[in-house]
Amino acid sequence: MTPQPPYVPGHSLLAGRTAVITAAAGAGIGGATARKFLEEGARIVIGDAHERRLKGSAATLAEEFGADKVAALPCDVTDQQQVDALFALAAERHGGLDIVVNNAGLGGTADLVDMTDDQWSKVLDVTLNGTFRCTRTALRHFKEQDTGGIVVNNASVIGWRAQRGQAHYAAAKAGVMALTRCAALEASDFGVRVNAVAPSLAMHPHLVKVTTPELLAELTEREAFGRYAEPWEIANVIVFLASGYSSYMTGETISVSSQRA
């Protein structure tokens, strides 16, 4: 097993920027991204469907980085009104926005022969339709602002690779990748870049709760480093895509993975 690398400190890559981040409460990729963006000098507006967890995360970040840097609003990405309200908060608090990270997603495990319409639809509505709603809203804001902007979507290597019991999640994440490419072409007309990350295995408490130890061991074994990624390692790549260092990239999906080819 390759040892976990040291935590990478901020380098002011997002200084003065305003970012909206969905599903940003808790200890997963969204929470790690919120913290990373603050460390890089950004102001953040975070949303999450879990109101209590969101309130706690926002309070912790505000205490550490300053209340003027952190705003939060409950947001279920299956509800367009809640999505609109989250983006309106960014405009109200900071006069506009520069970056949007679409992190919200919903998983589950079910063989296709046993999968219900509700199981299929629920995963697709949060993971793909939610990303569509937020991307559409972001592009409308960016087009009206006429100052450019950046969208980063959270996809998954499952969008490329088959895994039993994951037909709904895989279809949704493949859709996120296709949405990213098409949105990028359209958004380039008004100076907006749209890219995505595709993690393989980033460990966080929620994943542990919904995944068996046997499956986690199997997934970890596929990783060349012999370990899972920490959420902040995924967040580092999101920072890259949100920064000027990726200025010539759009429509791309970066695999954040050590899985063997």
Side-chain angles (χ1 to χ4, degrees), residues 68-84:
D68 61 321
K69 292 292 188 76
V70 181
L73 191 70
C75 180
D76 178 348
V77 297
T78 67
D79 185 328
Q80 184 63 51
Q81 288 187 330
Q82 293 188 39
V83 171
D84 290 340

Side-chain angles (χ1 to χ4, degrees), residues 196-207:
V197 294
S200 54
L201 182 62
M203 190 60 66
H204 53 86
H206 180 67
L207 181 62

Side-chain angles (χ1 to χ4, degrees), residues 1-248:
M1 178 186 295
T2 303
Q4 178 183 314
Y7 190 84
V8 180
H11 291 80
S12 299
L13 296 179
L14 306 176
R17 315 295 292 281
T18 297
V20 168
I21 307 169
T22 64
I29 293 171
T33 301
R35 174 169 292 276
K36 272 289 178 185
F37 272 43
L38 288 165
E39 290 172 351
E40 294 292 350
R43 299 176 296 261
I44 63 170
V45 179
I46 56 176
D48 201 287
H50 301 278
E51 187 170 353
R52 181 186 57 81
R53 194 191 310 167
L54 176 67
K55 185 176 180 180
S57 295
T60 298
L61 293 172
E63 182 177 357
E64 186 172 347
F65 295 95
D68 61 321
K69 292 292 188 76
V70 181
L73 191 70
C75 180
D76 178 348
V77 297
T78 67
D79 185 328
Q80 184 63 51
Q81 288 187 330
Q82 293 188 39
V83 171
D84 290 340
L86 184 67
F87 281 79
L89 179 60
E92 176 188 328
R93 286 285 295 267
H94 304 298
L97 67 152
D98 305 292
I99 303 159
V100 174
V101 179
N102 291 319
N103 175 66
L106 178 68
T109 301
D111 287 346
L112 202 57
V113 294
D114 301 317
M115 190 179 294
T116 66
D117 284 6
D118 186 60
Q119 285 175 305
W120 174 270
S121 298
K122 191 172 182 180
V123 169
L124 267 289
D125 198 23
V126 174
T127 307
L128 178 56
N129 296 346
T131 301
F132 154 69
R133 292 184 190 98
C134 291
T135 300
R136 177 177 61 186
T137 305
L139 296 188
R140 287 173 176 173
H141 275 263
F142 288 143
K143 188 173 184 179
E144 183 177 346
Q145 287 179 185
D146 196 27
T147 56
I150 293 167
V151 177
V152 183
N153 295 325
N154 191 358
S156 169
V157 296
I158 289 179
W160 289 311
R161 304 167 190 171
Q163 184 174 314
R164 289 179 179 271
Q166 295 295 309
H168 46 2
Y169 189 66
K173 289 301 190 179
V176 169
M177 295 177 185
L179 171 65
T180 297
R181 292 191 296 270
C182 293
L185 270 182
E186 297 178 15
S188 66
D189 292 345
F190 42 99
V192 173
R193 299 192 292 111
V194 186
N195 291 293
V197 294
S200 54
L201 182 62
M203 190 60 66
H204 53 86
H206 180 67
L207 181 62
V208 173
K209 289 180 182 178
V210 300
T211 311
T212 65
E214 294 77 17
L215 180 56
L216 286 177
E218 178 187 336
L219 294 174
T220 302
E221 175 62 26
R222 296 180 188 176
E223 300 292 327
F225 292 143
R227 66 172 180 87
Y228 50 78
E230 296 291 340
W232 61 262
E233 293 182 283
I234 312 302
N236 281 345
V237 182
I238 294 174
V239 167
F240 163 71
L241 290 174
S243 77
Y245 281 111
S246 59
S247 60
Y248 196 67

